Amino acid sequence: MRVKFRQLESRDFWPVVEVADEWWGGRPVRGLLQRLFFDHFADTSLIAEADAEIVGLLVGFMSSSRPGEAYIHAVGVAPSRRGAGLGRELYERFFLLVRDRGATSVHAITAPVNRGSIAFHRSLGFELEPSDRIVDGIPIHSGHDPRGGDRVLFIKHLAG
Amino acid sequence: MRVKFRQLESRDFWPVVEVADEWWGGRPVRGLLQRLFFDHFADTSLIAEADAEIVGLLVGFMSSSRPGEAYIHAVGVAPSRRGAGLGRELYERFFLLVRDRGATSVHAITAPVNRGSIAFHRSLGFELEPSDRIVDGIPIHSGHDPRGGDRVLFIKHLAG
């Protein structure tokens, strides 16, 4: 089934919440997916659908206090749809979307343990933001998140 | 000690996290106060300080996908400073801040059990958004939050 992309809407909130724990491997992501993103940052967020079913999601926004920066808050792909480039397409569509709104860089974060995510972001042209603390070759930003601690910070510069 | 107000900054993240559980009465609010608000919505968020100590906080933003709407995400006042109009002043400063950016309405939510918050918002000129479900005279919006369930939705129209 062909995948279609559209803007996120408020009505996607509950369907996404329902599948989120499964998509994110059982981790409780409900705190991450607050309704405010669906209500107030829908215009820079994306849904991928196949056969009227939600199979992918990207929640992102333009920074208000850091002009020119866009931020990717959460990305998820249905397990049955992985490995087909769907995550990559969500990112690339977001890059175009926020470049049209004046973004010159896109930012995202992950946990240092998430090596797959680090490799994926690098393959999309993200760089790792430098830090004084390097572990296994990865620059680590300590205490970024009060619940989890260390984070890896990504930045991608958008071509003009 | 006189209270001073200033814009939120990224560096306020950890000091606020440290006091948040105490301010909010021991409830775990750390999921609410994600770093992204400090980094990306600092320009519409406020800190109240007395004697170089943080005594109040308002985190809010302009909606991106709902033009003209502003949203208040979190408000907290140090227990020792309550009852002195500090919360009210944070709200009123936010109203001016977002009106200058084109907001015509301000939105906020609370739990139905939080009668003090409902009375406080009403005293600030907020109305309760209608719902088919009325409990004890309060319009309840069911299933607004996947973790908590019911919510009361506030709206305040800003004068032009």
Side-chain angles (χ1 to χ4, degrees):
Chain A
M1 189 68 199
R2 197 171 141 259
V3 175
K4 291 179 186 169
F5 295 85
R6 62 168 172 83
Q7 183 178 307
L8 184 70
E9 298 177 23
S10 288
R11 67 177 168 85
D12 295 314
F13 178 63
W14 274 105
V16 167
V17 164
E18 293 299 328
V19 296
D21 290 343
E22 183 204 343
W23 287 14
W24 270 273
R27 280 177 290 162
V29 295
R30 293 179 173 210
L32 201 67
L33 297 174
Q34 294 180 40
R35 180 183 281 261
L36 66 91
F37 296 106
F38 293 74
D39 287 345
H40 299 298
F41 302 105
D43 55 334
T44 51
S45 299
L46 293 158
I47 284 284
E49 275 178 331
D51 211 5
E53 194 183 331
I54 295 175
V55 295
L57 163 79
L58 184 151
V59 175
F61 53 78
M62 292 293 297
S63 177
S64 179
S65 42
R66 296 184 179 173
E69 286 194 15
Y71 183 78
I72 296 177
H73 176 59
V75 184
V77 172
S80 65
R81 295 278 174 168
R82 287 179 194 160
L86 187 49
R88 179 172 301 272
E89 184 156 359
L90 285 166
Y91 274 78
E92 286 170 351
R93 285 175 179 263
F94 180 76
F95 299 158
L96 296 175
L97 203 64
V98 295
R99 201 180 62 183
D100 284 348
R101 291 165 182 255
T104 55
S105 66
V106 177
H107 299 254
I109 66 172
T110 196
V113 71
N114 203 340
R115 294 306 162 105
S117 172
I118 295 170
F120 175 68
H121 280 85
R122 279 180 157 151
S123 78
L124 279 163
F126 283 92
E127 298 162 34
L128 277 52
E129 291 201 34
S131 167
D132 289 341
R133 191 167 153 233
I134 312 281
V135 177
D136 294 341
I138 305 291
I140 307 291
H141 296 258
S142 302
H144 194 79
D145 183 312
R147 294 157 301 169
D150 297 345
R151 288 290 180 270
V152 176
L153 276 56
F154 302 113
I155 177 170
K156 180 185 168 74
H157 298 283
L158 298 178
Chain B
M1 189 68 198
R2 196 168 143 262
V3 175
K4 291 178 187 170
F5 296 84
R6 62 167 172 83
Q7 183 177 307
L8 184 72
E9 298 177 23
S10 288
R11 68 177 167 87
D12 296 314
F13 178 64
W14 274 105
V16 167
V17 164
E18 292 299 329
V19 296
D21 291 342
E22 183 204 342
W23 287 14
W24 271 272
R27 279 176 291 160
V29 295
R30 293 179 174 210
L32 201 67
L33 296 174
Q34 294 180 40
R35 180 183 280 263
L36 66 91
F37 296 106
F38 294 73
D39 288 345
H40 299 299
F41 302 105
D43 56 334
T44 51
S45 299
L46 292 158
I47 284 284
E49 275 179 331
D51 212 4
E53 194 183 330
I54 294 175
V55 294
L57 164 80
L58 185 151
V59 176
F61 54 78
M62 293 292 296
S63 177
S64 179
S65 42
R66 295 184 179 173
E69 287 193 17
Y71 183 78
I72 296 176
H73 176 59
V75 184
V77 172
S80 66
R81 295 278 175 169
R82 288 181 193 159
L86 187 49
R88 180 172 302 272
E89 184 156 359
L90 284 165
Y91 275 78
E92 285 170 351
R93 285 174 180 263
F94 180 75
F95 298 157
L96 295 176
L97 203 65
V98 295
R99 201 180 61 182
D100 282 349
R101 291 165 182 257
T104 55
S105 66
V106 177
H107 299 254
I109 66 172
T110 197
V113 71
N114 204 339
R115 294 305 161 106
S117 172
I118 295 169
F120 175 68
H121 280 84
R122 278 181 157 150
S123 79
L124 279 162
F126 282 92
E127 297 162 35
L128 278 51
E129 291 200 35
S131 166
D132 289 341
R133 193 169 151 229
I134 312 281
V135 178
D136 295 339
I138 304 292
I140 307 291
H141 295 258
S142 302
H144 193 79
D145 184 310
R147 294 157 301 170
D150 296 345
R151 287 291 180 270
V152 175
L153 277 56
F154 301 113
I155 177 170
K156 180 185 167 75
H157 298 281
L158 298 178

